[in-house]
Amino acid sequence: MSGSALDPKTAPVFPIAARTAMKDGQLRRNVRHATDVIQAKRARVVAEMPDWQELREAGKQIRQHTMENLDFYLEEFEANCTRAGGVVHWARDAAEARQIIVGLVKASGSDEVIKIKSMTTEEIQLNSALEAAGIHPYETDLAELIIQLGHDQPSHIVVPALHKNRQQIREIFQREMNLPKLGERPEDLADAARIFLREKFLRVKTGVSGANFLIAETGGVCIVESEGNGRMCLTLPETLIAVAGIDKVVPRFADLEVLFQLLPRSATGERMNPYNSIWTGVNAADGPRAFHVVLMDNARTEILADAEGRQTLNCIRCGACQNACPVYRQTGGHAYGSVYAGPIGAILTPQLQEMHHAQSLPYASSLCGACYEVCPVKINIPEVLIHLRNKVVKQNGPLNVEAFAMKMMGMIFLSEHRFRAAQRMGRMAEAPLVRRDEKGEGWIGWLPGMLGGWTKVRDLQEMPQETFRDWWKKRGTHGS
Amino acid sequence: MGVDTGAAPLGSARAEILQRIRAATGGVSNTEVARAGWTRLPREYRRAATREREAVLELLEDRLRDYDANVVRTGRDRVSAIVAKMLSERGKTRMVVPPGIPNEWLPVVVEFVVDEGLSAAELDRFDGVMTGSTMAIAQTGTVILQSVPGQGRRAVTLVPDYQLCVVCEEDVVETVPEAMARLQETAELPTTFFSGPSATADIEMTRIKGVHGPRYLDVVLVGSGI
């Protein structure tokens, strides 16, 4: 039923995928409109907060402190969740997490599950694993439903279907829900989804969710959302299975006072999410009778071990960096070849893949710093991008073209003699490529080979006929 | 509770992940280190109220309305009369209520059925639900419910399409940190924060009221009765 998930292992490299996306005018209009709206709302509600910078600093420090003591907080969460009647499972990687979840769903006696929007389940491609095991997953978030019914993929962490407009959504619903007379007002579409899903909410006995925060102090789990579909999945089924990266833990209940202020304002420009749910284990009189948490590593410990990349784990998945990113706003999310798109995807995806896939993503940025400025927990994304570029070059070894070229440049810059020779060579070599404009200035619009990457999107001015050194020398002999 | 998943030995996954973390962070963390580090975290943000009491209540009203909730303020002795008026205006005649809701809030002209483990399908057939509340946060327009008498289990305030919620003025705080501090004692109860009725902006960023949760929300703010 769902389209195949975006997989960094098989996705085309970013420059190729971006080129295709850039040709889709409708997609770019939809992405621009959505990101413009969210950014304007975000700016307004952030400006309401005189203590915003202090909140960001506290958020950063809480996340940093959690990562430094991650083993302690995970064990504390496990002990408290278990004490409250939850069952905690640990998964080293995606395959192990899928195996645990499929096993738990089967043990619940259900062959269908209702799902809350969860980037972690997208990351591990859970839906196709469930389907392969004969279990039908129903996405219940409106955007995820649009994607599932449209056999599409999410393109934004918070608003996964922002690349679709109302006409496109209407066509999907008409076809997949068999509603030929469906109207095209957003209200009509939301109503159709409400009716389509309500029957599932009232019937399906097993729910699968992600988690926004795991509270070590109490063993509680917190999910924030806006539609109420999350509350339906958390509250009505008999069995609930939550899967969370090990990075989702927060030390204490009180820490939510910071995250509840930073996350909604950054993510959707709301003062608070319409719904926040917190529950601890099982409660005899309220909610599911069986509750499982799957704590998943899936390369997060690799990121933790990298001193410079570690701050990536501080991410609370608000998506503000995506909305602010000039690259994402042009290409949309699918070009990143991963469920995590935009600046955070550009640093998270390659690290989750241990740099063996998605090597082009650290370059999918202009390093303008807009992402760092809006990040509610102050992740210095440009710094991590540069760190990862360095890693890519190292991983590819000293024999790759870029490393070789940089080595040559280094040699040239080491000696004045070589530098002057290179300048003379350059002037000769460029001559056949230079075209004069109406003012007589020389421009190069095409360079051969690897250098062509530069001239693909901009022109290069010809080298000056007289260098400063030449001019200085002349001045010395002929001057006063 | 344990379910045999038939997966690879899971204990080893736990040990391996913790071992990887410790290798990455350079050692074992313990209660003392973690607690001491946590206490030192900077918290220079605003934690206490800055407004006068009446201004806090006005802010809550304003923020709730901003989120499409209907708000009425009333005195303690007038609750059932106001409730009768609001339900009549909305055309609601059959409401579900949680056990423990104060009787004096319920007007006799409307049928109130107490939830004693009704099924989701049964809840779906009511005109709406009426509850009390634990607390409200003015700055964000948020009402907080917990699984206690008068507020009920989470499904009761979720499935019906309309909610009428009574908030007492003394339970209104201005800021999120004040609310979390008050909740600390009962942090392990199932807890729901709601800010306005259910909403989505997934279609062209147009805010649409109500997708899956209650589409309509009335709040009665009870106090001195201004």
Side-chain angles (χ1 to χ4, degrees):
Chain A
M1 192 163 170
S2 62
S4 58
L6 289 167
D7 188 348
K9 293 189 185 71
T10 52
V13 295
F14 183 82
I16 304 286
R19 181 160 295 204
T20 315
M22 298 284 282
K23 287 183 189 141
D24 188 341
Q26 184 66 58
L27 174 121
R28 292 174 66 195
R29 271 193 299 279
N30 296 348
V31 172
R32 174 163 303 209
H33 169 73
T35 49
D36 278 347
V37 172
I38 310 176
Q39 287 211 96
K41 280 178 74 185
R42 180 199 165 274
R44 201 165 61 233
V45 296
V46 164
E48 277 177 9
M49 303 293 282
D51 55 346
W52 185 249
Q53 294 308 331
E54 288 77 15
L55 281 166
R56 280 180 82 206
E57 183 60 28
K60 174 190 165 175
Q61 301 258 0
I62 289 170
R63 298 297 292 148
Q64 213 165 293
H65 166 79
T66 309
M67 294 312 146
E68 282 161 12
N69 299 277
L70 191 57
D71 58 331
F72 171 77
Y73 287 124
L74 284 171
E75 286 194 298
E76 190 184 26
F77 170 79
E78 181 190 42
N80 289 324
C81 180
T82 308
R83 182 182 47 75
V87 184
V88 177
H89 309 260
W90 300 69
R92 276 167 283 220
D93 53 27
E96 197 164 30
R98 288 191 296 259
Q99 192 185 3
I100 293 168
I101 298 164
V102 168
L104 289 169
V105 176
K106 283 188 169 165
S108 78
S110 198
D111 60 359
E112 45 188 8
V113 296
I114 43 178
K115 275 193 70 215
I116 308 181
K117 171 179 178 287
S118 150
M119 298 314 286
T120 312
T121 62
E122 296 278 359
E123 174 189 328
I124 64 172
Q125 304 181 11
L126 181 65
N127 283 3
S128 46
L130 289 169
E131 278 160 15
I135 299 159
H136 191 94
Y138 294 104
E139 293 291 348
T140 64
D141 173 75
L142 180 54
E144 287 287 348
L145 178 70
I146 293 164
I147 283 162
Q148 187 180 39
L149 295 180
H151 310 280
D152 196 355
Q153 292 121 4
S155 70
H156 189 283
I157 293 174
V158 177
V159 203
L162 91 173
H163 58 289
K164 294 280 187 208
N165 67 17
R166 67 184 75 183
Q167 283 80 15
Q168 293 168 313
I169 296 166
R170 176 171 174 247
E171 280 163 29
I172 293 168
F173 281 12
Q174 280 181 320
R175 188 177 66 236
E176 300 288 328
M177 295 179 184
N178 195 18
L179 297 169
K181 288 182 188 150
L182 181 62
E184 66 164 40
R185 294 180 313 144
E187 289 82 359
D188 300 328
L189 302 172
D191 270 350
R194 182 183 176 97
I195 295 162
F196 180 80
L197 286 174
R198 184 145 285 227
E199 177 261 331
K200 275 107 195 150
F201 287 136
L202 300 185
R203 190 191 74 222
V204 178
K205 299 291 179 208
T206 306
V208 173
S209 81
N212 289 96
F213 308 112
L214 308 173
I215 308 157
E217 181 191 23
T218 59
V221 180
C222 175
I223 283 185
V224 306
E225 44 124 10
S226 62
E227 294 172 9
N229 67 302
R231 290 178 66 193
M232 293 272 181
C233 297
L234 301 174
T235 312
L236 302 181
E238 288 167 8
T239 303
L240 174 61
I241 303 156
V243 52
I246 52 173
D247 50 318
K248 287 296 172 82
V249 71
V250 299
R252 307 195 64 159
F253 184 77
D255 292 321
L256 294 176
E257 73 188 17
V258 176
L259 301 163
F260 279 175
Q261 296 192 74
L262 291 172
L263 179 57
R265 286 178 201 263
S266 301
T268 48
E270 304 282 355
R271 298 188 183 101
M272 186 67 89
N273 310 84
Y275 295 125
N276 299 354
S277 299
I278 306 170
W279 72 100
T280 310
V282 289
N283 183 300
D286 191 344
R289 287 201 291 267
F291 173 55
H292 300 268
V293 182
V294 181
L295 297 175
M296 184 179 73
D297 179 350
N298 206 28
R300 283 158 177 78
T301 48
E302 297 271 344
I303 304 176
L304 192 68
D306 177 350
E308 282 167 288
R310 180 188 285 186
Q311 56 177 317
T312 312
L313 295 176
N314 294 353
C315 176
I316 55 172
R317 307 284 190 268
C318 72
C321 61
Q322 293 185 277
N323 305 327
C325 177
V327 176
Y328 173 85
R329 281 161 56 84
Q330 294 301 324
T331 62
H334 294 160
Y336 291 77
S338 159
V339 297
Y340 302 111
I344 188 64
I347 60 171
L348 183 58
T349 304
Q351 295 186 87
L352 288 176
Q353 300 294 323
E354 293 167 25
M355 305 298 297
H356 294 303
H357 302 282
Q359 282 196 343
S360 63
L361 290 185
Y363 296 89
S365 166
S366 61
L367 299 178
C368 72
C371 48
Y372 182 25
E373 207 163 297
V374 296
C375 178
V377 291
K378 293 191 181 177
I379 300 172
N380 190 335
I381 295 178
E383 184 181 275
V384 181
L385 283 166
I386 292 166
H387 169 63
L388 295 180
R389 288 180 186 188
N390 191 19
K391 270 189 146 179
V392 169
V393 172
K394 278 204 185 119
Q395 201 167 51
N396 289 342
L399 294 176
N400 80 79
V401 188
E402 194 181 349
F404 180 74
M406 287 296 163
K407 197 157 260 174
M408 290 293 292
M409 290 280 279
M411 297 241 310
I412 290 168
F413 281 118
L414 269 180
S415 121
E416 187 200 333
H417 171 71
R418 283 183 217 141
F419 183 70
R420 282 167 178 272
Q423 280 178 325
R424 278 196 303 277
M425 292 251 301
R427 272 202 294 274
M428 282 195 289
E430 73 173 8
L433 303 172
V434 173
R435 300 281 172 271
R436 306 246 153 239
D437 65 10
E438 62 275 15
K439 287 185 220 146
E441 299 213 21
W443 293 92
I444 300 167
W446 176 85
L447 280 172
M450 208 184 92
L451 300 168
W454 176 269
T455 49
K456 235 186 253 172
V457 286
R458 39 174 120 55
D459 290 340
L460 187 67
Q461 195 154 23
E462 71 169 332
M463 292 170 76
Q465 289 312 307
E466 186 183 47
T467 65
F468 176 75
R469 283 160 184 272
D470 294 339
W471 172 80
W472 186 261
K473 207 164 146 197
K474 251 183 2 205
R475 180 181 166 276
T477 18
H478 309 296
S480 53
Chain B
M1 282 303 295
V3 176
D4 180 13
T5 61
L10 298 178
S12 61
R14 178 185 191 278
E16 197 176 319
I17 292 169
L18 288 171
Q19 187 269 323
R20 286 183 198 167
I21 292 170
R22 285 165 188 153
T25 54
V28 180
S29 175
N30 60 43
T31 312
E32 273 163 54
V33 174
R35 292 283 178 263
W38 187 86
T39 314
R40 283 196 300 270
L41 293 176
R43 292 178 193 271
E44 307 299 319
Y45 50 87
R46 196 174 268 189
R47 301 174 86 175
T50 54
R51 289 173 169 82
E52 297 291 323
R53 198 60 204 151
E54 181 53 29
V56 171
L57 298 174
E58 276 165 19
L59 182 64
L60 174 66
E61 254 192 285
D62 179 66
R63 294 283 153 93
L64 280 167
R65 289 213 176 93
D66 201 28
Y67 273 162
D68 301 318
N70 179 30
V71 189
V72 175
R73 288 179 71 175
T74 189
R76 285 179 206 291
D77 51 343
R78 298 249 317 134
V79 177
S80 78
I82 292 287
V83 167
K85 184 165 170 281
M86 291 176 107
L87 293 179
S88 141
E89 279 168 8
R90 295 239 184 222
K92 309 287 181 191
T93 56
R94 190 166 170 271
M95 301 282 289
V96 62
V97 287
I101 192 158
N103 249 323
E104 65 270 20
W105 288 355
L106 308 179
V108 289
V109 290
V110 178
E111 183 190 355
F112 290 98
V113 177
V114 176
D115 165 56
E116 271 156 10
L118 294 163
S119 72
E122 286 168 322
L123 289 173
D124 198 28
R125 288 195 284 270
F126 284 93
D127 288 349
V129 55
M130 176 175 162
T131 69
S133 61
T134 296
M135 198 185 308
I137 308 170
Q139 193 177 39
T140 57
T142 305
V143 180
I144 299 168
L145 302 174
Q146 292 191 301
S147 285
V148 292
Q151 296 164 46
R153 60 198 177 104
R154 290 173 287 171
V156 177
T157 49
L158 171 64
V159 179
D161 198 19
Y162 163 71
Q163 180 174 7
L164 192 157
C165 186
V166 179
V167 176
C168 297
E169 283 183 3
E170 62 270 26
D171 298 328
V172 178
V173 296
E174 182 182 329
T175 66
V176 177
E178 287 173 275
M180 298 312 289
R182 279 208 200 187
L183 286 174
Q184 180 73 41
E185 285 293 300
T186 54
E188 291 177 31
L189 286 173
T191 303
T192 304
F193 291 52
F194 66 91
S195 308
S198 160
T200 185
D202 277 340
I203 302 168
E204 294 186 6
M205 305 315 294
T206 310
R207 188 177 164 97
I208 308 165
K209 247 201 294 183
V211 195
H212 304 303
R215 279 184 284 193
Y216 306 95
L217 173 66
D218 287 338
V219 174
V220 179
L221 189 52
V222 181
S224 47
I226 296 160

